[in-house]
Amino acid sequence: MGAKIREIPAQLPRNFDRPDEPWHHYLTIDLIAKVFDYTILHPWVSWIVVICLRSQLTPYEATEMRVAFVWAILMTLRSMFGLINDKLAYGTPREVDLSEEVIVITGGVEGLGALIAEVYGMRNANVAVLDTKKVDLEEAEEKGIVYYECDVGDAKQVEEVAKEIVEDLGAPTILINNAGIVHVKSLLNSTAEEVEQTFRTNTLSHFNTIRSFLPYMITEGRGTIVTVSSVLGHLGAANLSFYTASKAALLAMHSSLRAELSQHPTGQDIKTILVTPGQMSTKMFNGVKTPSNFLAPIIAPVDVAKEIISLVEKGESGDVTVPLYSKYIQFLGILPLGMQVLVRRWCGVDRAMVDAGLVKGEKTKPAEKL
């Protein structure tokens, strides 16, 4: 008899939890952009068009041949510019072998963090999850994940857990800072304790984990640090003042971290990934609607997880900006103030929490974890 195969529990997406949507609901600008990237904007496809025209004996002087040539050259230059830009911005990718990596994920019991942790757990990687929520030992063994009960907003707790992880799994080389909470309240309704709790979990936790785990990465001469922020860090929003402020702080922190690692003598092979997703279909903002499903679709956490995992395993630095609008949202800041007011009114970012029924005077929604 061969060795017994370990059964891994898997919960498939339950489509019946979502209402049936018409076909055009799934037609978004993100889908169109992806199709274009793999077709008319792809250099190989552009040159295939030129080859096809020549196979039909189309003269070089013909208008369609000239247009195809110019387009293929432009798409090639565009692709080369992208490669050079990424090289200058992020450097050379590092080699990633999951069998030799130790992955630490904060806030990995639910939501986006849980998805990433379970994917790596199923692949027999060394995964440590830091969360305040307890997980049954049997469930942890089934998922192939080691859970540590830890408040990542407490520096001393993180330092102690870091020693345990090194002892149990080895030196951490991949850190995914995902923990986050939200209080849906107006600034006037907030309390000092709620503001402090939000910043401890959403912002200070990143400083605590980086201080604790980065020295091991520097010693190993390799590593990856993932910072999960939010598109709201660029925008701000009514009734989310301290949540958006805590996420905005991460944008500056991550830029400073990149700059410091670029100057460190052994920091070249420590990669950094900044994640600024739009609205995800998690319970954190359940019921909140975007102004346009075509321009600003609500994204599934699995789509964000795939982008993060892809960059981590390629050993690259980079930015995860999904859906498409989150990549260009910073351009809103260069518009005249009057235009910014009109755009905010149209998109409803400052009414979203009220319209979703999450803000009701003094009765506010309790904090929820990612």
Side-chain angles (χ1 to χ4, degrees), residues 34 112 115-116 119-120 123 273 275 280 300-314 320 322:
K34 184 173 289 187
L112 175 63
L115 276 174
I116 298 173
V119 167
Y120 282 125
R123 296 170 63 184
I273 300 171
V275 186
M280 291 190 288
V302 67
D303 293 326
V304 182
K306 285 192 296 186
E307 296 286 338
I308 295 173
I309 291 170
S310 175
L311 276 179
V312 167
E313 295 188 7
K314 288 178 182 176
V320 175
V322 288

Side-chain angles (χ1 to χ4, degrees), residues 63-350:
T63 302
E64 58 267 34
M65 179 59 81
R66 290 181 176 179
V67 171
F69 253 120
V70 171
W71 184 257
I73 291 171
L74 287 175
M75 293 303 100
T76 302
L77 292 174
R78 173 179 174 268
S79 180
M80 291 176 62
F81 174 80
L83 292 172
I84 295 171
N85 178 68
D86 289 346
K87 174 72 174 178
L88 290 173
Y90 307 124
T92 305
R94 75 178 183 91
E95 292 186 10
V96 175
D97 182 351
L98 288 182
S99 64
E100 298 179 357
E101 306 284 342
V102 175
I103 306 165
V104 178
I105 303 172
T106 67
V109 172
E110 294 180 350
L112 175 63
L115 276 174
I116 298 173
E118 289 173 19
V119 167
Y120 282 125
M122 286 189 290
R123 296 170 63 184
N124 292 321
N126 300 307
V127 186
V129 165
L130 277 56
D131 206 301
T132 54
K133 295 180 179 178
K134 294 182 179 181
V135 175
D136 182 74
L137 183 59
E138 185 178 344
E139 180 185 348
E141 290 178 353
E142 288 177 345
K143 292 180 177 179
I145 301 170
V146 183
Y147 292 90
Y148 297 87
E149 189 177 350
C150 174
D151 177 4
V152 288
D154 187 324
K156 290 183 178 179
Q157 286 190 39
V158 175
E159 289 172 6
E160 292 301 317
V161 166
K163 296 174 184 176
E164 290 182 42
I165 292 174
V166 173
E167 216 174 289
D168 297 340
L169 303 175
T173 53
I174 297 174
L175 171 62
I176 301 176
N177 273 318
N178 166 75
I181 63 170
V182 61
H183 291 274
V184 183
K185 280 191 172 184
S186 68
L187 187 58
L188 290 176
N189 270 346
S190 65
T191 65
E193 291 76 15
E194 289 167 340
V195 175
E196 183 181 351
Q197 181 193 24
T198 300
F199 272 88
R200 278 167 54 87
T201 304
N202 295 3
T203 308
L204 297 182
S205 63
H206 290 246
F207 288 88
N208 296 338
T209 55
I210 290 172
R211 281 200 305 266
S212 296
F213 296 117
L214 182 55
Y216 295 107
M217 298 182 193
I218 290 174
T219 301
E220 293 288 316
R222 59 193 170 90
T224 300
I225 298 174
V226 180
T227 302
V228 180
S229 181
S230 169
V231 70
L232 289 175
H234 293 294
L235 286 172
N239 300 303
L240 289 172
S241 56
F242 38 108
Y243 173 80
T244 57
S246 67
K247 291 297 186 179
L250 296 179
L251 302 177
M253 184 220 70
H254 194 82
S255 295
S256 298
L257 175 64
R258 279 181 175 170
E260 290 181 14
L261 288 175
S262 68
Q263 297 174 5
H264 196 281
T266 59
Q268 304 301 317
D269 270 341
I270 299 175
K271 304 302 175 181
T272 56
I273 300 171
L274 177 63
V275 186
T276 53
Q279 185 180 334
M280 291 190 288
S281 55
T282 62
K283 68 178 183 180
M284 180 175 273
F285 294 114
N286 189 31
V288 178
K289 295 181 179 180
T290 62
S292 166
N293 185 69
F294 178 76
L295 296 174
I298 296 176
I299 53 173
V302 67
D303 293 326
V304 182
K306 285 192 296 186
E307 296 286 338
I308 295 173
I309 291 170
S310 175
L311 276 179
V312 167
E313 295 188 7
K314 288 178 182 176
E316 297 177 350
S317 292
D319 294 342
V320 175
T321 51
V322 288
L324 189 63
Y325 78 87
S326 64
K327 186 175 183 178
Y328 301 103
I329 200 68
Q330 296 181 65
F331 287 105
L332 179 64
I334 66 175
L335 295 177
L337 291 179
M339 288 289 292
Q340 291 185 39
V341 170
L342 292 176
V343 171
R344 293 181 74 91
R345 284 180 185 172
W346 171 78
C347 70
V349 65
D350 296 321

